[in-house]
Amino acid sequence: MSAYPLLETLNDPSELRRLDRKQLAALAGELRAFIVESVSKTGGHLSSNLGTVELTIALHYVFSTPEDRIIWDVGHQTYGHKILTGRRAGMARLRQKGGVAGFPRREESPYDAFGTAHSSTSISAALGMAVAARALGRTNRAIAVIGDGAMTGGMAFEALNNVKQSGANVIVVLNDNDMSISENVGALNNYLARLMSGRFYAATKKTADKILSVSPPMKELAKRFEGHAKGMLTPSTLFEEFGLNYTGPVDGHNIDVLVDTLNNVKRLDGPQFLHVVTKKGQGYAYAEDDPIAYHGPGRFDPSVGLAKPAPAADAKPRPTYTQVFGDWLCDMAQLDKRLVGITPAMREGSGLVRFSKEFPDRYFDVGIAEQHAVTFAAGLACDGMKPVVAIYSTFLQRAYDQLIHDVALQKLPVVFALDRGGLVGADGPTHHGAFDLSYLRCIPNMTVMAPADENECRQMLYTGFTLDGPSAVRYPRGTGTGAEILAQMKALPVGRGEVRREGRRVAILAFGSMVKPALDVAAELNATVANMRFVKPLDEALVLRLATTHELVVTVEENALEGGAGSAVLESLAAQGVEVPVLQLGLPDHFVEHGDPALLLADCGLDAAGISRAIRERLSQDDASQRPGKAA
């Protein structure tokens, strides 16, 4: 007998809408169990998806999707949505190469109305769709589902500020679970945390309406008083001031309440705001107890939950680059009381847990507010502090203007610790750090470094901290090469690379994570390898020496080729008047899909085999062009 008798009969939401309402609670149980089983085999986001099971079912039950548009903010809570929209079988290859993506993607399904993965974009997109529907004479609705964590992002409030002016039929569903990824912080979160007091108001109002209905004058007086009391007793004031009709809070795990409420909201004209209270990890005890640990677990046994693998008796586990950064931050804080650590809601992911406990007065989690994080750091630096902004490469893109205008233009000493540089794997194109070397090196006053191993990462962080201007240390996700990490910190000479291996004919100029595969290739081809260390300022003297003593210069980087480190080498050679064949290797000019990082690197020709193959082919072409008769 199937464990999912209801779920297996549903291949799209139209079939869901034919179910009797009494069957929805049972369907929720099956969907939740399927998500646990599925994620336990593939890894992925778990807590957030378990918390939105009933909400997902209710939305597709009430609204006529895909004509009605559902936009999921961030989108890491859409596994239930994917399962109910014809991708149940595809979940077996979730986030694997060629398989179902971990976030909504328009090209994957017509039910994915908008591609998401970065926070706080849903209300803007939904508002745009609602305005478009009105302009085109359509009656479909646009629904933004946004978490309370994403509501800390300024973009969400920029959109809310525009809602009243538009008057469009947009519905904002606040999924309030008192969590983003790390614990929520800030005044807005504290405000939302008090919203449950609205239940008291709702109960009191219901009783009062019955009593006052017998006396119209008294009821009118009470209604006037309500307008003032409501602002004190309910959460509606904030959102109604933005022009949205507020409803809630409602229990996000009561399927009957959700269906009734959504049906009511659906019939209302103009902007609507529905406040839904849910619990991350709902229905799976391990995830309920520790939603942060189960935010994005790897494979696990559902019956026992996450278990730490026992290390091999003869092997010392390699630290991740994230751990290297976290340890350096604490060591540096001991040495310099001016150091301040800043993260935009990524304490665990960026390695600041230990720092937050040991130096709480110098730790700032600013919420999902990358722009604020960067300018906040600039303000600190203006008045003598030494801020370190720990941020993923892909998220720094969101604060590019602040990076240029508020930090670099003023030449302020802010260190950017850029985690997840290069290909990150299963999270895919929205999270790959594919562009940082390109978008950083074009900014005046910036120093940009890419470490070849763990120890170099530590020393580069220290180097950046000693500088009088802005700097970025860009390092990959995962473990390092196994290099010994020296406790003593020593500043590297700025703008100086090093030759790791002397060879002949071919000089490989490798940046960051590409040094290791370059050395493997060089041993095979007897090539020279330079660990360039600095993308900006580039070691032009080293570039000149290698270009004039070798037949072929090869640049290798885990970054977009356009405008990247290889482009810097070409610019340097052109400026120095040097003509030499140059082969540029890097990420191609398209968005790299999700999948195992090793497979993705191989697809891009950035593993040792791919680098070797590209060099051999180029040497063969150059040799052929120099043979007699070929010039004609």
PDB file of all heavy atoms in Angstrom, residues 541-576:
ATOM      1  N   ALA A 541      54.997  43.228 -12.870  1.00  0.00           N
ATOM      2  CA  ALA A 541      56.386  42.822 -13.095  1.00  0.00           C
ATOM      3  C   ALA A 541      56.471  41.316 -13.318  1.00  0.00           C
ATOM      4  O   ALA A 541      57.202  40.841 -14.203  1.00  0.00           O
ATOM      5  CB  ALA A 541      57.257  43.243 -11.917  1.00  0.00           C
ATOM      6  N   LEU A 542      55.714  40.556 -12.541  1.00  0.00           N
ATOM      7  CA  LEU A 542      55.703  39.101 -12.708  1.00  0.00           C
ATOM      8  C   LEU A 542      55.055  38.718 -14.028  1.00  0.00           C
ATOM      9  O   LEU A 542      55.546  37.817 -14.732  1.00  0.00           O
ATOM     10  CB  LEU A 542      54.949  38.457 -11.540  1.00  0.00           C
ATOM     11  CG  LEU A 542      54.853  36.929 -11.546  1.00  0.00           C
ATOM     12  CD1 LEU A 542      56.244  36.289 -11.603  1.00  0.00           C
ATOM     13  CD2 LEU A 542      54.069  36.433 -10.328  1.00  0.00           C
ATOM     14  N   VAL A 543      53.998  39.406 -14.384  1.00  0.00           N
ATOM     15  CA  VAL A 543      53.342  39.143 -15.675  1.00  0.00           C
ATOM     16  C   VAL A 543      54.320  39.379 -16.817  1.00  0.00           C
ATOM     17  O   VAL A 543      54.432  38.566 -17.747  1.00  0.00           O
ATOM     18  CB  VAL A 543      52.083  40.033 -15.837  1.00  0.00           C
ATOM     19  CG1 VAL A 543      51.534  39.934 -17.268  1.00  0.00           C
ATOM     20  CG2 VAL A 543      51.006  39.642 -14.835  1.00  0.00           C
ATOM     21  N   LEU A 544      55.054  40.484 -16.756  1.00  0.00           N
ATOM     22  CA  LEU A 544      56.014  40.811 -17.814  1.00  0.00           C
ATOM     23  C   LEU A 544      57.114  39.764 -17.909  1.00  0.00           C
ATOM     24  O   LEU A 544      57.474  39.311 -19.010  1.00  0.00           O
ATOM     25  CB  LEU A 544      56.620  42.197 -17.542  1.00  0.00           C
ATOM     26  CG  LEU A 544      57.708  42.658 -18.518  1.00  0.00           C
ATOM     27  CD1 LEU A 544      57.145  42.799 -19.929  1.00  0.00           C
ATOM     28  CD2 LEU A 544      58.327  43.976 -18.046  1.00  0.00           C
ATOM     29  N   ARG A 545      57.657  39.346 -16.761  1.00  0.00           N
ATOM     30  CA  ARG A 545      58.745  38.369 -16.783  1.00  0.00           C
ATOM     31  C   ARG A 545      58.296  37.047 -17.376  1.00  0.00           C
ATOM     32  O   ARG A 545      58.982  36.464 -18.228  1.00  0.00           O
ATOM     33  CB  ARG A 545      59.282  38.146 -15.361  1.00  0.00           C
ATOM     34  CG  ARG A 545      60.400  37.105 -15.298  1.00  0.00           C
ATOM     35  CD  ARG A 545      61.055  37.045 -13.944  1.00  0.00           C
ATOM     36  NE  ARG A 545      60.290  36.312 -12.956  1.00  0.00           N
ATOM     37  CZ  ARG A 545      60.254  34.968 -12.855  1.00  0.00           C
ATOM     38  NH1 ARG A 545      60.935  34.216 -13.731  1.00  0.00           N
ATOM     39  NH2 ARG A 545      59.572  34.392 -11.912  1.00  0.00           N
ATOM     40  N   LEU A 546      57.127  36.568 -16.973  1.00  0.00           N
ATOM     41  CA  LEU A 546      56.656  35.281 -17.473  1.00  0.00           C
ATOM     42  C   LEU A 546      56.262  35.368 -18.943  1.00  0.00           C
ATOM     43  O   LEU A 546      56.466  34.417 -19.711  1.00  0.00           O
ATOM     44  CB  LEU A 546      55.474  34.800 -16.625  1.00  0.00           C
ATOM     45  CG  LEU A 546      55.794  34.499 -15.160  1.00  0.00           C
ATOM     46  CD1 LEU A 546      54.539  34.070 -14.404  1.00  0.00           C
ATOM     47  CD2 LEU A 546      56.879  33.428 -15.039  1.00  0.00           C
ATOM     48  N   ALA A 547      55.699  36.503 -19.355  1.00  0.00           N
ATOM     49  CA  ALA A 547      55.279  36.654 -20.748  1.00  0.00           C
ATOM     50  C   ALA A 547      56.468  36.707 -21.698  1.00  0.00           C
ATOM     51  O   ALA A 547      56.363  36.281 -22.858  1.00  0.00           O
ATOM     52  CB  ALA A 547      54.432  37.911 -20.900  1.00  0.00           C
ATOM     53  N   THR A 548      57.592  37.213 -21.233  1.00  0.00           N
ATOM     54  CA  THR A 548      58.767  37.348 -22.100  1.00  0.00           C
ATOM     55  C   THR A 548      59.704  36.147 -22.036  1.00  0.00           C
ATOM     56  O   THR A 548      60.709  36.111 -22.747  1.00  0.00           O
ATOM     57  CB  THR A 548      59.548  38.621 -21.726  1.00  0.00           C
ATOM     58  OG1 THR A 548      59.861  38.603 -20.328  1.00  0.00           O
ATOM     59  CG2 THR A 548      58.736  39.868 -22.049  1.00  0.00           C
ATOM     60  N   THR A 549      59.370  35.176 -21.215  1.00  0.00           N
ATOM     61  CA  THR A 549      60.241  33.986 -21.109  1.00  0.00           C
ATOM     62  C   THR A 549      59.490  32.695 -21.446  1.00  0.00           C
ATOM     63  O   THR A 549      60.045  31.610 -21.287  1.00  0.00           O
ATOM     64  CB  THR A 549      60.814  33.869 -19.677  1.00  0.00           C
ATOM     65  OG1 THR A 549      59.747  33.873 -18.720  1.00  0.00           O
ATOM     66  CG2 THR A 549      61.773  35.029 -19.389  1.00  0.00           C
ATOM     67  N   HIS A 550      58.234  32.824 -21.889  1.00  0.00           N
ATOM     68  CA  HIS A 550      57.450  31.640 -22.230  1.00  0.00           C
ATOM     69  C   HIS A 550      56.734  31.859 -23.564  1.00  0.00           C
ATOM     70  O   HIS A 550      56.479  32.995 -23.966  1.00  0.00           O
ATOM     71  CB  HIS A 550      56.416  31.328 -21.137  1.00  0.00           C
ATOM     72  CG  HIS A 550      57.030  30.894 -19.846  1.00  0.00           C
ATOM     73  ND1 HIS A 550      57.620  31.786 -18.961  1.00  0.00           N
ATOM     74  CD2 HIS A 550      57.166  29.663 -19.275  1.00  0.00           C
ATOM     75  CE1 HIS A 550      58.085  31.129 -17.909  1.00  0.00           C
ATOM     76  NE2 HIS A 550      57.818  29.832 -18.072  1.00  0.00           N
ATOM     77  N   GLU A 551      56.389  30.764 -24.225  1.00  0.00           N
ATOM     78  CA  GLU A 551      55.731  30.832 -25.529  1.00  0.00           C
ATOM     79  C   GLU A 551      54.225  31.072 -25.395  1.00  0.00           C
ATOM     80  O   GLU A 551      53.599  31.600 -26.316  1.00  0.00           O
ATOM     81  CB  GLU A 551      55.957  29.531 -26.306  1.00  0.00           C
ATOM     82  CG  GLU A 551      57.419  29.233 -26.604  1.00  0.00           C
ATOM     83  CD  GLU A 551      57.581  27.873 -27.250  1.00  0.00           C
ATOM     84  OE1 GLU A 551      56.608  27.385 -27.866  1.00  0.00           O
ATOM     85  OE2 GLU A 551      58.669  27.288 -27.134  1.00  0.00           O
ATOM     86  N   LEU A 552      53.640  30.633 -24.286  1.00  0.00           N
ATOM     87  CA  LEU A 552      52.208  30.751 -24.095  1.00  0.00           C
ATOM     88  C   LEU A 552      51.915  31.129 -22.647  1.00  0.00           C
ATOM     89  O   LEU A 552      52.435  30.510 -21.717  1.00  0.00           O
ATOM     90  CB  LEU A 552      51.505  29.427 -24.425  1.00  0.00           C
ATOM     91  CG  LEU A 552      49.988  29.354 -24.155  1.00  0.00           C
ATOM     92  CD1 LEU A 552      49.227  30.306 -25.076  1.00  0.00           C
ATOM     93  CD2 LEU A 552      49.481  27.920 -24.315  1.00  0.00           C
ATOM     94  N   VAL A 553      51.084  32.151 -22.473  1.00  0.00           N
ATOM     95  CA  VAL A 553      50.612  32.546 -21.151  1.00  0.00           C
ATOM     96  C   VAL A 553      49.167  32.070 -21.007  1.00  0.00           C
ATOM     97  O   VAL A 553      48.329  32.308 -21.878  1.00  0.00           O
ATOM     98  CB  VAL A 553      50.679  34.073 -20.955  1.00  0.00           C
ATOM     99  CG1 VAL A 553      49.980  34.482 -19.650  1.00  0.00           C
ATOM    100  CG2 VAL A 553      52.127  34.543 -20.947  1.00  0.00           C
ATOM    101  N   VAL A 554      48.890  31.386 -19.900  1.00  0.00           N
ATOM    102  CA  VAL A 554      47.543  30.878 -19.622  1.00  0.00           C
ATOM    103  C   VAL A 554      47.053  31.501 -18.327  1.00  0.00           C
ATOM    104  O   VAL A 554      47.735  31.425 -17.302  1.00  0.00           O
ATOM    105  CB  VAL A 554      47.539  29.342 -19.495  1.00  0.00           C
ATOM    106  CG1 VAL A 554      46.119  28.834 -19.228  1.00  0.00           C
ATOM    107  CG2 VAL A 554      48.112  28.692 -20.742  1.00  0.00           C
ATOM    108  N   THR A 555      45.882  32.128 -18.370  1.00  0.00           N
ATOM    109  CA  THR A 555      45.268  32.644 -17.138  1.00  0.00           C
ATOM    110  C   THR A 555      44.106  31.730 -16.753  1.00  0.00           C
ATOM    111  O   THR A 555      43.327  31.316 -17.609  1.00  0.00           O
ATOM    112  CB  THR A 555      44.759  34.086 -17.307  1.00  0.00           C
ATOM    113  OG1 THR A 555      43.693  34.125 -18.264  1.00  0.00           O
ATOM    114  CG2 THR A 555      45.888  34.995 -17.780  1.00  0.00           C
ATOM    115  N   VAL A 556      44.007  31.410 -15.464  1.00  0.00           N
ATOM    116  CA  VAL A 556      42.966  30.503 -14.986  1.00  0.00           C
ATOM    117  C   VAL A 556      42.303  31.121 -13.755  1.00  0.00           C
ATOM    118  O   VAL A 556      42.972  31.460 -12.781  1.00  0.00           O
ATOM    119  CB  VAL A 556      43.539  29.120 -14.618  1.00  0.00           C
ATOM    120  CG1 VAL A 556      42.394  28.128 -14.421  1.00  0.00           C
ATOM    121  CG2 VAL A 556      44.493  28.610 -15.678  1.00  0.00           C
ATOM    122  N   GLU A 557      40.983  31.234 -13.802  1.00  0.00           N
ATOM    123  CA  GLU A 557      40.232  31.833 -12.700  1.00  0.00           C
ATOM    124  C   GLU A 557      38.861  31.199 -12.605  1.00  0.00           C
ATOM    125  O   GLU A 557      38.270  30.788 -13.606  1.00  0.00           O
ATOM    126  CB  GLU A 557      40.070  33.342 -12.915  1.00  0.00           C
ATOM    127  CG  GLU A 557      39.331  33.676 -14.212  1.00  0.00           C
ATOM    128  CD  GLU A 557      39.354  35.159 -14.544  1.00  0.00           C
ATOM    129  OE1 GLU A 557      38.881  35.947 -13.704  1.00  0.00           O
ATOM    130  OE2 GLU A 557      39.847  35.517 -15.631  1.00  0.00           O
ATOM    131  N   GLU A 558      38.309  31.111 -11.394  1.00  0.00           N
ATOM    132  CA  GLU A 558      36.947  30.618 -11.180  1.00  0.00           C
ATOM    133  C   GLU A 558      36.019  31.828 -11.087  1.00  0.00           C
ATOM    134  O   GLU A 558      35.396  32.111 -10.067  1.00  0.00           O
ATOM    135  CB  GLU A 558      36.878  29.759  -9.916  1.00  0.00           C
ATOM    136  CG  GLU A 558      35.637  28.898  -9.827  1.00  0.00           C
ATOM    137  CD  GLU A 558      35.629  27.965  -8.631  1.00  0.00           C
ATOM    138  OE1 GLU A 558      36.708  27.727  -8.044  1.00  0.00           O
ATOM    139  OE2 GLU A 558      34.539  27.488  -8.268  1.00  0.00           O
ATOM    140  N   ASN A 559      35.949  32.530 -12.196  1.00  0.00           N
ATOM    141  CA  ASN A 559      35.208  33.781 -12.301  1.00  0.00           C
ATOM    142  C   ASN A 559      34.846  33.969 -13.763  1.00  0.00           C
ATOM    143  O   ASN A 559      35.464  33.373 -14.651  1.00  0.00           O
ATOM    144  CB  ASN A 559      36.075  34.952 -11.822  1.00  0.00           C
ATOM    145  CG  ASN A 559      35.341  36.283 -11.821  1.00  0.00           C
ATOM    146  OD1 ASN A 559      34.588  36.586 -10.900  1.00  0.00           O
ATOM    147  ND2 ASN A 559      35.554  37.097 -12.847  1.00  0.00           N
ATOM    148  N   ALA A 560      33.866  34.803 -14.037  1.00  0.00           N
ATOM    149  CA  ALA A 560      33.498  35.097 -15.421  1.00  0.00           C
ATOM    150  C   ALA A 560      34.708  35.630 -16.180  1.00  0.00           C
ATOM    151  O   ALA A 560      35.459  36.464 -15.663  1.00  0.00           O
ATOM    152  CB  ALA A 560      32.358  36.105 -15.453  1.00  0.00           C
ATOM    153  N   LEU A 561      34.879  35.153 -17.394  1.00  0.00           N
ATOM    154  CA  LEU A 561      36.016  35.612 -18.198  1.00  0.00           C
ATOM    155  C   LEU A 561      35.921  37.104 -18.511  1.00  0.00           C
ATOM    156  O   LEU A 561      36.924  37.807 -18.521  1.00  0.00           O
ATOM    157  CB  LEU A 561      36.088  34.824 -19.513  1.00  0.00           C
ATOM    158  CG  LEU A 561      36.700  33.429 -19.441  1.00  0.00           C
ATOM    159  CD1 LEU A 561      36.567  32.710 -20.779  1.00  0.00           C
ATOM    160  CD2 LEU A 561      38.167  33.510 -19.043  1.00  0.00           C
ATOM    161  N   GLU A 562      34.697  37.571 -18.771  1.00  0.00           N
ATOM    162  CA  GLU A 562      34.513  38.968 -19.129  1.00  0.00           C
ATOM    163  C   GLU A 562      34.898  39.881 -17.966  1.00  0.00           C
ATOM    164  O   GLU A 562      34.249  39.876 -16.924  1.00  0.00           O
ATOM    165  CB  GLU A 562      33.053  39.228 -19.537  1.00  0.00           C
ATOM    166  CG  GLU A 562      32.696  38.736 -20.920  1.00  0.00           C
ATOM    167  CD  GLU A 562      32.639  37.227 -21.034  1.00  0.00           C
ATOM    168  OE1 GLU A 562      32.583  36.564 -19.982  1.00  0.00           O
ATOM    169  OE2 GLU A 562      32.622  36.709 -22.150  1.00  0.00           O
ATOM    170  N   GLY A 563      35.948  40.661 -18.153  1.00  0.00           N
ATOM    171  CA  GLY A 563      36.359  41.636 -17.157  1.00  0.00           C
ATOM    172  C   GLY A 563      37.046  41.070 -15.936  1.00  0.00           C
ATOM    173  O   GLY A 563      37.282  41.787 -14.969  1.00  0.00           O
ATOM    174  N   GLY A 564      37.392  39.799 -15.959  1.00  0.00           N
ATOM    175  CA  GLY A 564      37.976  39.162 -14.792  1.00  0.00           C
ATOM    176  C   GLY A 564      39.479  39.313 -14.690  1.00  0.00           C
ATOM    177  O   GLY A 564      40.085  40.233 -15.267  1.00  0.00           O
ATOM    178  N   ALA A 565      40.095  38.385 -13.955  1.00  0.00           N
ATOM    179  CA  ALA A 565      41.534  38.466 -13.718  1.00  0.00           C
ATOM    180  C   ALA A 565      42.323  38.288 -15.009  1.00  0.00           C
ATOM    181  O   ALA A 565      43.366  38.939 -15.211  1.00  0.00           O
ATOM    182  CB  ALA A 565      41.949  37.409 -12.697  1.00  0.00           C
ATOM    183  N   GLY A 566      41.863  37.399 -15.904  1.00  0.00           N
ATOM    184  CA  GLY A 566      42.543  37.226 -17.187  1.00  0.00           C
ATOM    185  C   GLY A 566      42.525  38.492 -18.005  1.00  0.00           C
ATOM    186  O   GLY A 566      43.507  38.828 -18.694  1.00  0.00           O
ATOM    187  N   SER A 567      41.418  39.213 -17.943  1.00  0.00           N
ATOM    188  CA  SER A 567      41.336  40.502 -18.643  1.00  0.00           C
ATOM    189  C   SER A 567      42.353  41.487 -18.077  1.00  0.00           C
ATOM    190  O   SER A 567      42.945  42.281 -18.808  1.00  0.00           O
ATOM    191  CB  SER A 567      39.929  41.081 -18.520  1.00  0.00           C
ATOM    192  OG  SER A 567      38.984  40.267 -19.172  1.00  0.00           O
ATOM    193  N   ALA A 568      42.570  41.436 -16.772  1.00  0.00           N
ATOM    194  CA  ALA A 568      43.572  42.308 -16.146  1.00  0.00           C
ATOM    195  C   ALA A 568      44.965  42.003 -16.694  1.00  0.00           C
ATOM    196  O   ALA A 568      45.766  42.914 -16.940  1.00  0.00           O
ATOM    197  CB  ALA A 568      43.548  42.130 -14.633  1.00  0.00           C
ATOM    198  N   VAL A 569      45.263  40.720 -16.891  1.00  0.00           N
ATOM    199  CA  VAL A 569      46.564  40.330 -17.455  1.00  0.00           C
ATOM    200  C   VAL A 569      46.703  40.852 -18.881  1.00  0.00           C
ATOM    201  O   VAL A 569      47.754  41.396 -19.265  1.00  0.00           O
ATOM    202  CB  VAL A 569      46.730  38.800 -17.410  1.00  0.00           C
ATOM    203  CG1 VAL A 569      47.981  38.367 -18.186  1.00  0.00           C
ATOM    204  CG2 VAL A 569      46.804  38.316 -15.967  1.00  0.00           C
ATOM    205  N   LEU A 570      45.655  40.711 -19.691  1.00  0.00           N
ATOM    206  CA  LEU A 570      45.700  41.212 -21.069  1.00  0.00           C
ATOM    207  C   LEU A 570      45.892  42.722 -21.104  1.00  0.00           C
ATOM    208  O   LEU A 570      46.663  43.242 -21.930  1.00  0.00           O
ATOM    209  CB  LEU A 570      44.408  40.836 -21.797  1.00  0.00           C
ATOM    210  CG  LEU A 570      44.214  39.369 -22.148  1.00  0.00           C
ATOM    211  CD1 LEU A 570      42.839  39.146 -22.755  1.00  0.00           C
ATOM    212  CD2 LEU A 570      45.297  38.900 -23.123  1.00  0.00           C
ATOM    213  N   GLU A 571      45.201  43.425 -20.208  1.00  0.00           N
ATOM    214  CA  GLU A 571      45.362  44.872 -20.151  1.00  0.00           C
ATOM    215  C   GLU A 571      46.793  45.251 -19.786  1.00  0.00           C
ATOM    216  O   GLU A 571      47.369  46.197 -20.337  1.00  0.00           O
ATOM    217  CB  GLU A 571      44.382  45.456 -19.141  1.00  0.00           C
ATOM    218  CG  GLU A 571      42.924  45.343 -19.552  1.00  0.00           C
ATOM    219  CD  GLU A 571      41.972  45.540 -18.394  1.00  0.00           C
ATOM    220  OE1 GLU A 571      42.424  45.998 -17.321  1.00  0.00           O
ATOM    221  OE2 GLU A 571      40.772  45.228 -18.540  1.00  0.00           O
ATOM    222  N   SER A 572      47.370  44.508 -18.851  1.00  0.00           N
ATOM    223  CA  SER A 572      48.743  44.777 -18.433  1.00  0.00           C
ATOM    224  C   SER A 572      49.717  44.547 -19.577  1.00  0.00           C
ATOM    225  O   SER A 572      50.621  45.366 -19.823  1.00  0.00           O
ATOM    226  CB  SER A 572      49.115  43.890 -17.239  1.00  0.00           C
ATOM    227  OG  SER A 572      50.467  44.054 -16.888  1.00  0.00           O
ATOM    228  N   LEU A 573      49.554  43.448 -20.291  1.00  0.00           N
ATOM    229  CA  LEU A 573      50.445  43.147 -21.418  1.00  0.00           C
ATOM    230  C   LEU A 573      50.320  44.198 -22.505  1.00  0.00           C
ATOM    231  O   LEU A 573      51.325  44.631 -23.097  1.00  0.00           O
ATOM    232  CB  LEU A 573      50.121  41.757 -21.975  1.00  0.00           C
ATOM    233  CG  LEU A 573      50.469  40.573 -21.072  1.00  0.00           C
ATOM    234  CD1 LEU A 573      49.913  39.276 -21.644  1.00  0.00           C
ATOM    235  CD2 LEU A 573      51.992  40.467 -20.892  1.00  0.00           C
ATOM    236  N   ALA A 574      49.089  44.618 -22.779  1.00  0.00           N
ATOM    237  CA  ALA A 574      48.887  45.642 -23.806  1.00  0.00           C
ATOM    238  C   ALA A 574      49.543  46.956 -23.393  1.00  0.00           C
ATOM    239  O   ALA A 574      50.186  47.636 -24.208  1.00  0.00           O
ATOM    240  CB  ALA A 574      47.390  45.848 -24.047  1.00  0.00           C
ATOM    241  N   ALA A 575      49.398  47.327 -22.128  1.00  0.00           N
ATOM    242  CA  ALA A 575      49.985  48.575 -21.641  1.00  0.00           C
ATOM    243  C   ALA A 575      51.500  48.543 -21.680  1.00  0.00           C
ATOM    244  O   ALA A 575      52.150  49.580 -21.880  1.00  0.00           O
ATOM    245  CB  ALA A 575      49.502  48.845 -20.214  1.00  0.00           C
ATOM    246  N   GLN A 576      52.076  47.334 -21.501  1.00  0.00           N
ATOM    247  CA  GLN A 576      53.528  47.200 -21.517  1.00  0.00           C
ATOM    248  C   GLN A 576      54.078  46.900 -22.918  1.00  0.00           C
ATOM    249  O   GLN A 576      55.280  46.713 -23.082  1.00  0.00           O
ATOM    250  CB  GLN A 576      53.952  46.096 -20.537  1.00  0.00           C
ATOM    251  CG  GLN A 576      53.599  46.416 -19.084  1.00  0.00           C
ATOM    252  CD  GLN A 576      54.066  45.348 -18.114  1.00  0.00           C
ATOM    253  OE1 GLN A 576      55.236  45.345 -17.704  1.00  0.00           O
ATOM    254  NE2 GLN A 576      53.169  44.448 -17.729  1.00  0.00           N
TER     255      GLN A 576
END
